[in-house]
């Protein structure tokens, strides 16, 4: 019943926003500078056999549409819609043979000044601590002296509740305030709050995001988020890059996650802290460094080292390097060798990788092979591998087709074959202010 209610709400929202979009986009043709319409249809057929010998052949259809009315005063109105549908051609891939969902449908007004925008409908919000899909309203504006602000309010879009008693997915709202000097830094403070259906606290998060450019060729970017309900830091993640010359790039990164705070209130059972894979007090820390060097033209060499600390499974170090070379005749080859040195069996292995790609006219060919040799048997398997071949052909700017097939052997599957076929068709038109077609492709 909940799922049917969700689909009805999605349909109602889509129809409502589409009607509003049509009214606004076509109501003022006299002041329009140009009107553009574009769309993309992607059809994907996946094929695999499960461990219990079921043939899973789901066919997906993704449709994306956009319409933009650019006005003479520099403002604009845009409408965007994205939806997908699935039908199983053999055994069921989920608990039913067909499914569909409205990914997004929203209308945006852009003012001619101050980076002002107003968006209404189903949309994805990415503002500081918020990375949410909502049915609601989003506002953004830049003020003087480098100050910017944004805010949103709506209902969370929850498509797969954790269990029938789940009470999230209600009202959610938040904001972000920022200050920046484009040449030197950008700093943002953000927060969001969401309530359960009965009005009790469900999510309360605060965030800090920053970008610093104190010296030429030196950049620091990152974010930290805090859970006000559990009173703990959810995540901190920062990356530093330095390019002393055009041929050398040095980088370092740090991340720390408290799973109790980070996974609080998730709606996916695999990520829930009640899952026995996780412990309520688990913490994960990763520190990495890398160096990339372009020795000669078209040749790039990179070395990596990363240290992981897991409360649940101990420490691990991942290190090694890779190299790639591009030939003038649209051929690229490369490979890598890495070692994982960990405290448990699954984190002790040697990894080899080789890849090659070639462009022949309108066709692209790729092959990628990975081999992992464990120090000891994992479920009776010591050496695992995966080989993937892909091919794509661009008939013209509108029509592209691609396919890939992969074969692997790992501790979970003795032999596994996966295949995918993808067809993408794009279309667009541009109309002049007088209403005649300026270009149609």
């Amino acid at each position: 019943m909940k799922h049917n209610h969700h689909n009805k709400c999605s349909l109602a929202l889509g129809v409502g926003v589409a009607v509003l979009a049509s009214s606004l986009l076509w109501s003022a043709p006299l002041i329009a500078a140009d009107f553009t319409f574009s769309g993309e249809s992607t059809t994907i057929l996946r094929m695999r056999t499960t461990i219990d010998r079921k043939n899973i052949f789901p066919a997906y259809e993704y449709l994306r549409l956009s319409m933009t009315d650019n006005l003479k005063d520099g403002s604009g109105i845009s409408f965007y819609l994205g939806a997908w549908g699935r039908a199983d051609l053999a055994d069921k891939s989920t608990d039913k043979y067909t499914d569909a969902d409205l990914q997004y449908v929203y209308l945006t007004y852009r003012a001619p000044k101050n980076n002002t925008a107003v968006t209404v409908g189903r949309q994805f919000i990415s503002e500081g601590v918020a990375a949410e899909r909502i049915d609601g309203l989003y506002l953004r504006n830049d003020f003087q002296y480098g100050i910017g602000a944004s805010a949103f309010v709506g209902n969370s879009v929850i498509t797969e509740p954790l269990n029938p008693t789940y009470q999230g997915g209600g009202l959610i709202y938040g904001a972000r305030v920022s200050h920046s000097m484009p040449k030197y830094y950008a700093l943002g403070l953000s927060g969001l709050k969401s309530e359960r259906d009965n009005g009790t606290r469900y999510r309360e998060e605060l965030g800090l995001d920053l970008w610093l450019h104190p010296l030429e060729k030196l950049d620091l970017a990152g974010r930290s988020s805090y859970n006000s309900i559990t009173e703990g830091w959810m995540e901190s993640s920062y990356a530093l890059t330095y390019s002393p010359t055009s041929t050398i790039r040095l980088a370092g990164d740090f991340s720390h996650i408290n799973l109790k705070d980070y996974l609080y209130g998730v709606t996916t059972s695999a990520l829930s802290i009640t899952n026995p894979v996780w412990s309520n007090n688990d913490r994960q820390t990763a520190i990495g460094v890398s160096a990339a060097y372009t020795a000669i033209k078209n040749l790039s060499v990179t070395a990596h080292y990363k240290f992981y600390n897991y409360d649940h499974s101990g420490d691990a170090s991942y290190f090694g390097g890779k190299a790639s070379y591009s030939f003038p005749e649209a051929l690229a080859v490369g490979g890598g060798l890495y070692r994982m040195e960990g405290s448990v069996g699954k984190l002790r292995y040697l990894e080899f990788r080789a890849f090659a790609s070639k462009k022949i006219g309108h066709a692209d060919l790729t092959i990628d092979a990975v081999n992992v040799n464990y120090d000891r048997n994992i479920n009776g398997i010591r050496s695992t591998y995966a080989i993937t071949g892909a091919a794509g052909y661009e008939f013209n700017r509108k029509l592209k087709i691609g396919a890939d097939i992969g074969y692997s052997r790992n501790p979970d599957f003795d032999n596994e074959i996966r295949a995918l076929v993808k067809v993408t068709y794009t279309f667009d038109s541009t109309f002049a202010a007088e209403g005649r077609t300026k270009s149609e492709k």
Side-chain angles (χ1 to χ4, degrees), residues 301-319:
V301 180
T302 305
H304 297 267
Y305 174 82
K306 199 150 194 173
F307 173 78
Y308 299 90
N309 174 261
Y310 303 97
D311 285 354
H312 192 68
S313 56
D315 299 340
S317 294
Y318 184 73
F319 53 91

Side-chain angles (χ1 to χ4, degrees), residues 253-256 284-288 306-309:
D253 61 84
F254 166 83
S255 67
H256 180 77
Q284 299 178 2
T285 303
I287 303 173
K306 199 150 194 173
F307 173 78
Y308 299 90
N309 174 261

